Amino acid sequence: MKRIVRSFGSIVRRAPAAVVVATLVVAGILGSFAGQVVIATGNEGFAPDNPEIAASERIAEYFGGNQESVFQVIIRDPNSDVISAEGLAVSLAVEEAIRSVAGEDLAETPQRPGVVSYMAPVLQEAATEDLPIEGLSDAEVDRLYGSALGGMAPEQAGFIAGLLSEEGDAAAASSPAAIILAFFISDTIDANQAFDEQIVRDEALAEALAEIETGFEIRPFSFTLLFGAVDSFTEEVGRLFAYAGAIIVVILLFVYWMRARGAATVVQTSRRTLADMALTMITILLAIGMMQGTGVLLERIGIISAFSAPTQIVPILIIGLGVDYAIHLTSRYREEIGERLSVDEAMTTAVSTVGVALVLATLTTVIGFLTNIANPVPALADFGILAAVGILYSFLLMMTFVPAVRLLLDRRAERGGRLPVEACGSHSNRILPQLMGRTAVIADRVPILAVGVALVLGGLGFYGFTQLETRFSFTDFLPEDAPAVETLDILTDEFGGGFGEQTHVLVEAPEGERLATAPIHNAMVGALHDLAELDTVSVFATAVGPVANAASPIGVIQQLLSPEGGEPPPELLEALAEAGAADDLTVPADADVRPLYAVAAAAAPELWETVSHSSGGEPDAFLFDVRTTAGESRVKDLRAGMESAFASTAAAGAGVIATSQNIIGDVVVDELTASQSTSLFITLAAAALVLVVYFWIQNRRPLLGIITMTPVALVVLWTYGLMYATGIPFGPVTATLAALAIGIGVPFTIHIARRFEEDRLEYPDIAAAIRSTATHTGGALAGSAFTTMAGFGILITSSLVPFKQMGQVTVFAIGLSLVAAILVLPSLLVLWERWHRRRRVSAVSSCS
């Protein structure tokens, strides 16, 4: 390891200019790819490789161009009644806007118009009574609504009443909010193109609705509008990092500031302070750019899947570790300059001493992050790879680029007599080093108490870890005040989720067998019936009982049998008779249902294509498109209910899988819960193993590796405990906590352990040795910790929930890492060294 460090120092010392030029060329090449980073949206990157994701992809492939989408418009006034004359005027304006913008895309069917308004009863009854719509009073609107609703079939009346908010009363013709639905279907075969077209259309609809002048709230909603808010995510990230960067610059100026004596020295020290700050920030930006560019290349060759929200935390780590590396290297270099060494000698000493600690810190953190490769959540595996790449670049730049630039600048200053030697020597007399030096009294006088308190708090942290809630929601990655997010909250709170939640159930042919068989057909009939009994499924009230609000092959046949204002197709009746179908559409076990499906496909081709996919003229996949109301809070009940409803279909031999946005999110939660303990143990074990091996080879003290890692493990537990105490859940972003705490904590403890190994040989008194370690290395640690804590504390102000939580967790992890490094580890090292010295004294006494 020392040989590696010496080789870096030798290369830099011999050809600093070549090192700088080579670094800038490589950074320029890799940085040119950084602008091509695309952040994945939705659940992409979060969801592990599982049947639900695979089913979602096959549904998009089979039915992508035929899937019906719902555009919802909430008309709302909490202090008024939307079933009124003004509400009628607004509803007409909304429908006119929808039809004028996207009327040709509306899914008009004989059973249902393309736009369904909560005011449909009023329009229907007014037409029946031949009344003009203009000029109706509020009382007349209420009378027409009640009269029409009373004359409707139960299923129609139930559907219309469902368009009112939960506080509304259809019987009293009163509601503070209601919904207008627009149904669209695309004829574009390519699913991605269809989705892009839907985004353009829905955004155009939202703009048109915003131009309607009314005293009511008009809130459009669709999931494409929700996905469109991802742009706000990107803007928010950029804003936060700009603020963080500005704060870090200010604090770095404070950390790098040196006492000046005389006017000339003021200029020299000010120039050096600015130069060291600028060099640190430029190096960190180079590392981030190189990491991003490398990530794009890794994505292209398939090593990582995509850049996602968790991967946006990697720059935080690079900045945190980069600041740490730079401050330690700069502080040690200044310390050696203050000892009157030449520039070359000072840099060689700094690189050879701090460099070993940096190698250890880099090796342990890289290995720790790479353990995420085994994580079942792709985004976290990608996070581990990118973090390892970014940390490696930070290390290489700090060991080559920074010393090379500093040598080029300081050699000139040394030749010209402008090197601020005295100011560099006074660096250790500043506030932070002195403050950290005073903390050594705890390790000297009450080390057992310090370690005992730390272990007790670690136990409490472990309890908090076992109690942490695991939660994931895509909307967390959108600003809380985004219009689409606010509208979704209203739909959830006032309309039970609205009409936009869809759960797809994919029924596929058994391998090597037919899907169109009587047992599978009968099982699907039973499944459609069982769906209506689930409280997480939207239903219609009918004369024969509740009917699930679901599109399916069985549902298409039922619609053809009950056309509005007409007779069923004769060929369908004939096919049913030939199949021996009963009134509930079940058939004998040996019946051939293929002719029945062929007739249904011919009678309603557009409807049939939305629920059936064929290969070689034979159906190989059926789709149940179910309107559900589970939301995120009851998704586990929905999954269990779907499994129960389609149990007989699976038993008949078909492949059955239910999937939706919420189900995929629930899958992510399950995988995170299952993997969090394993990931934590592997990361800690890997880092500890490296340190044990190093200290065994270097000092013949392998236990020192365990001692060095113990405070880091405690930091992880303490941080989990604070997460539990402050109500921060475990999710895709906070799942990186173990890696974050270890990535920051390990370098902190390694710097302390390495410096103490030097100081214990220099100072015969343990108290003096630990005080020197705390003053020199502790001061640099404090500067690094306060810089990154202040910089990324700005994340707490974010309107993005994960980044707000990440800001808190980052402050927790860095602050606790500093506490562990300057209070807990010194206490352990003092106890360890005293034990060794007692053994030596005992050994000498026994020999004498």
Side-chain angles (χ1 to χ4, degrees), residues 186-438:
S186 173
D187 57 2
T188 304
I189 297 176
D190 183 79
N192 292 328
Q193 183 180 347
F195 184 75
D196 291 341
E197 292 174 353
Q198 186 178 345
I199 290 177
V200 173
R201 183 195 66 224
D202 288 0
E203 289 179 346
L205 287 171
E207 291 177 4
L209 293 173
E211 295 177 359
I212 297 176
E213 296 182 1
T214 176
F216 291 161
E217 292 180 40
I218 299 179
R219 289 182 167 270
F221 179 81
S222 70
F223 282 100
T224 53
L225 291 177
L226 195 63
F227 282 118
V230 170
D231 291 338
S232 300
F233 167 81
T234 306
E235 294 171 3
E236 179 89 345
V237 171
R239 180 182 65 82
L240 291 171
F241 275 86
Y243 289 160
I247 293 173
I248 287 172
V249 165
V250 172
I251 298 179
L252 275 178
L253 290 173
F254 169 76
V255 172
Y256 283 146
W257 172 79
M258 297 186 299
R259 292 180 180 176
R261 295 174 183 173
T265 310
V266 169
V267 174
Q268 292 172 2
T269 54
S270 299
R271 184 185 303 159
R272 174 166 289 271
T273 298
L274 289 170
D276 284 339
M277 180 279 296
L279 182 57
T280 298
M281 294 305 297
I282 289 171
T283 305
I284 290 172
L285 292 176
L286 288 176
I288 292 173
M290 293 168 70
M291 179 276 296
Q292 299 274 45
T294 302
V296 171
L297 297 177
L298 293 176
E299 183 179 0
R300 289 181 179 178
I301 62 179
I303 292 180
I304 68 173
S305 55
F307 283 81
S308 56
T311 63
Q312 299 311 293
I313 300 166
V314 176
I316 296 178
L317 285 167
I318 294 177
I319 293 174
L321 290 174
V323 166
D324 176 71
Y325 289 3
I327 289 177
H328 278 90
L329 186 63
T330 302
S331 297
R332 187 59 182 260
Y333 173 65
R334 288 181 175 182
E335 182 183 337
E336 299 303 329
I337 289 290
E339 296 291 334
R340 305 291 176 173
L341 271 65
S342 69
V343 167
D344 282 27
E345 290 172 336
M347 185 58 73
T348 298
T349 302
V351 170
S352 62
T353 53
V354 175
V356 172
L358 296 188
V359 170
L360 278 174
T362 300
L363 188 59
T364 53
T365 49
V366 165
I367 291 175
F369 283 121
L370 288 180
T371 59
N372 280 292
I373 293 175
N375 197 296
V377 180
L380 298 185
D382 296 341
F383 164 82
I385 293 172
L386 290 175
V389 170
I391 291 166
L392 186 59
Y393 282 140
S394 294
F395 166 74
L396 292 174
L397 291 173
M398 290 299 170
M399 293 294 288
T400 57
F401 180 71
V402 171
V405 172
R406 181 44 65 199
L407 280 178
L408 291 173
L409 294 175
D410 285 355
R411 281 175 179 174
R412 292 180 57 191
E414 188 176 41
R415 288 192 299 267
R418 299 186 305 275
L419 197 64
V421 175
E422 291 187 6
C424 287
S426 68
H427 185 68
S428 61
N429 295 323
R430 297 186 60 241
I431 296 174
L432 285 180
Q434 289 182 356
L435 181 61
M436 293 301 103
R438 291 171 185 170

Side-chain angles (χ1 to χ4, degrees), residues 744-765:
I744 293 173
V746 166
F748 278 24
T749 57
I750 286 176
H751 285 306
I752 292 288
R754 279 284 307 164
R755 183 59 185 249
F756 181 72
E757 283 296 288
E758 293 181 37
D759 290 336
R760 75 179 183 86
L761 298 176
E762 183 176 347
Y763 297 93
D765 180 45

